[in-house]
Amino acid sequence: MKERILTNWSFTRALYLILGSIVIVQSVISREWIGIAFGGYFAAMGLFALGCAAGNCYGGSCETKKSSSLSEQEVEFEEIHSK
């Protein structure tokens, strides 16, 4: 967990954390308590590198695909004809 918080920071991730924190502070000041949950969601995405803040929402750059230990293998297909 500590490694996930301290590494791989990007502009998007920092932006999520900063804007989420601003929403939380603004919600507390205006006493709109549901805004804390909304801001907390985005701040958590930025802090813990979850979802789009980690760049996993677009372009097939999902972290699980990058760190896969399985190598790509050639697959052979056999055509089956019906009668």
Side-chain angles (χ1 to χ4, degrees):
M1 182 65 79
K2 182 178 177 183
E3 181 181 329
R4 188 172 191 134
I5 294 172
L6 297 177
T7 59
N8 297 328
W9 280 91
S10 65
F11 174 75
T12 306
R13 189 172 168 193
L15 187 66
Y16 270 87
L17 179 62
I18 292 167
L19 291 178
S21 300
I22 290 171
V23 170
I24 291 171
V25 170
Q26 190 64 32
S27 297
V28 169
I29 290 171
S30 63
R31 295 184 182 180
E32 295 289 334
W33 307 118
I34 194 72
I36 294 172
F38 183 70
Y41 171 73
F42 286 100
M45 281 177 58
L47 184 61
F48 299 114
L50 303 171
C52 293
N56 292 339
C57 289
Y58 57 88
S61 63
C62 183
E63 187 175 311
T64 57
K65 290 181 183 176
K66 286 182 181 176
S67 64
S68 177
S69 62
L70 299 175
S71 62
E72 293 183 23
Q73 299 176 3
E74 186 67 31
V75 178
E76 293 184 29
F77 294 97
E78 182 177 327
E79 189 172 338
I80 300 174
H81 298 282
S82 62
K83 293 182 181 181

